[in-house]
Amino acid sequence: FNQLEVKNPDSKMMQINLTGFLNGKNAREFMGELWPLLLSAQENIAGIPSAFLELKKEEIKQRQIEQEKLASMKKQDEDKDKRDKEEKESSREKRERSRSPRR
């Protein structure tokens, strides 16, 4: 974090400084992933990398799809329960009519 507070951070120096902490290969991979995110965040007005924004949009979209599916399933269950109840009442009425004495 301290290395990012510098006005013009140098990616090579950051990688060199991180090598002792992450070892050479991991520091190189980390900087390979971090640097494009930093550039993207710098270009964005909010300071958030566009890749993160796209991931969040996709997550929200998936959540909405799941909620719509759940709502649809709930409605189908309610409709089925209503039909079952109506069928029960209908069959009960038919039985009561057939049991009544005829004059």
Side-chain angles (χ1 to χ4, degrees):
F1 182 78
N2 293 340
Q3 294 182 38
L4 294 174
E5 290 180 335
V6 179
K7 186 172 182 171
N8 294 316
D10 180 16
S11 63
K12 289 181 183 179
M13 282 306 298
M14 288 176 70
Q15 182 177 338
I16 290 169
N17 291 335
L18 288 171
T19 299
F21 180 67
L22 297 174
N23 79 40
K25 180 183 176 188
N26 291 339
R28 185 180 72 244
E29 290 175 1
F30 177 76
M31 287 306 299
E33 293 176 16
L34 178 64
W35 200 252
L37 293 173
L38 292 172
L39 292 175
S40 177
Q42 186 177 14
E43 293 170 359
N44 191 328
I45 295 172
I48 301 170
S50 59
F52 290 172
L53 295 174
E54 292 301 318
L55 284 172
K56 191 63 174 179
K57 285 179 187 177
E58 190 63 33
E59 179 183 319
I60 291 169
K61 185 188 268 186
Q62 289 296 327
R63 191 177 312 137
Q64 287 175 339
I65 290 170
E66 289 175 12
Q67 287 176 348
E68 289 171 0
K69 284 181 183 177
L70 288 173
S72 174
M73 289 173 60
K74 183 178 179 181
K75 178 146 178 50
Q76 288 175 351
D77 286 347
E78 289 173 354
D79 290 346
K80 184 177 183 264
D81 290 344
K82 186 178 178 181
R83 283 192 308 269
D84 290 347
K85 184 178 179 183
E86 289 172 353
E87 287 175 8
K88 248 186 199 177
E89 289 175 4
S90 171
S91 66
R92 184 179 302 143
E93 288 174 4
K94 287 179 184 177
R95 277 188 273 139
E96 287 176 2
R97 282 188 209 144
S98 66
R99 290 182 187 169
S100 64
R102 294 187 183 167
R103 294 182 184 190

